[in-house]
Amino acid sequence: MEVFAGELPGFDPSLAPDTPFELFTEWLLKAFSAGVQEPHAMTLATADAGGDPTARVLILKGVGPEGRQFASDACSLKGRDLAARPYAALTFYWAPLARQVRVRGPVVRETPELCAADFLARSAGARAEALLGRQSQPLADLAERDAHVKASLARIKSEPGLVTPGWTLYSVRPESVEFWQGDKQRRHTRLVYMPSTDGWTKQMLWP
């Protein structure tokens, strides 16, 4: 199967901004303007207390100089992983542009106020599912799921300000941020940012 189809953008590391936040924002907006579907979707990788990894795709909830944010119930598998090992890796991949961004770093929980605000900003269906607190638990059949979600939706309608206690907004504080630009001739360009005492250092990597 063909890879790197179509016209690909260039990437000159010598013109990269001083911080990974600026370059990430530039690339994310480029992916959006290029029509990439769900450009804010990312792979989150965590590990449990024994070091066994798990990865899943979820949505970026916020981005700023201090980190990248995602949300989940603290009792979910990812929440339990992060309680045991508060460190994670994120990967963004925008296939039409042959671009990916890799972020690694410690994970912190945001304030209760920010967690609640994130929960209340979700759709009614998403809140109804989260209120059940059953993510990754065994399910007998789809009818069981639908019945419980229906009851949860009714509860949200009667209590619109309800927030599930375990809902958590997490932030990955980057220790490294790598930008990868694919090339049809496999002359890929890689640039990694690492924090330093006076900001960020930039280093190119071999493909």
Side-chain angles (χ1 to χ4, degrees):
M1 292 182 285
E2 184 182 7
V3 295
F4 306 137
E7 185 177 351
L8 302 180
F11 175 42
D12 185 350
S14 67
L15 301 178
D18 292 334
T19 73
F21 167 67
E22 295 171 275
L23 186 55
F24 178 83
T25 302
E26 177 186 322
W27 278 27
L28 178 63
L29 293 176
K30 175 65 176 179
F32 178 78
S33 63
V36 176
Q37 289 191 348
E38 299 177 348
H40 56 329
M42 61 187 183
T43 299
L44 165 70
T46 58
D48 63 18
D52 294 329
T54 305
R56 74 289 283 166
V57 177
L58 70 172
I59 295 297
L60 175 71
K61 300 305 293 289
V63 59
E66 296 300 318
R68 315 299 191 269
Q69 295 177 334
F70 62 93
S72 180
D73 194 293
C75 293
S76 66
L77 177 59
K78 66 182 80 68
R80 297 195 301 272
D81 280 358
L82 292 169
R85 297 169 63 94
Y87 199 93
L90 306 174
T91 303
F92 297 82
Y93 182 55
W94 301 305
L97 304 176
R99 281 180 168 175
Q100 64 175 305
V101 180
R102 302 168 62 198
V103 183
R104 295 188 305 115
V107 179
V108 300
R109 298 174 63 145
E110 296 291 355
T111 65
E113 293 77 15
L114 288 175
C115 295
D118 178 84
F119 184 81
L120 293 174
R122 293 167 65 83
S123 67
R127 281 180 285 148
E129 176 63 36
L131 278 172
L132 297 175
R134 297 188 176 190
Q135 189 179 69
S136 300
Q137 294 182 13
L139 175 67
D141 55 50
L142 297 182
E144 179 189 14
R145 177 202 63 188
D146 293 345
H148 282 282
V149 170
K150 182 178 179 180
S152 189
L153 279 169
R155 186 181 178 193
I156 286 174
K157 186 175 181 180
S158 63
E159 302 176 69
L162 185 63
V163 176
T164 185
W167 192 255
T168 305
L169 185 65
Y170 295 95
S171 182
V172 179
R173 303 288 197 246
E175 287 184 342
S176 71
V177 184
E178 180 188 329
F179 295 83
W180 184 96
Q181 174 63 66
D183 178 80
K184 292 179 184 294
Q185 305 302 320
R186 302 307 193 270
R187 294 176 299 184
H188 310 313
T189 302
R190 298 173 64 190
L191 179 69
V192 63
Y193 287 77
M194 292 169 289
S196 62
T197 55
D198 58 349
W200 295 87
T201 60
K202 293 181 285 186
Q203 175 65 60
M204 288 189 294
L205 303 174
W206 277 88

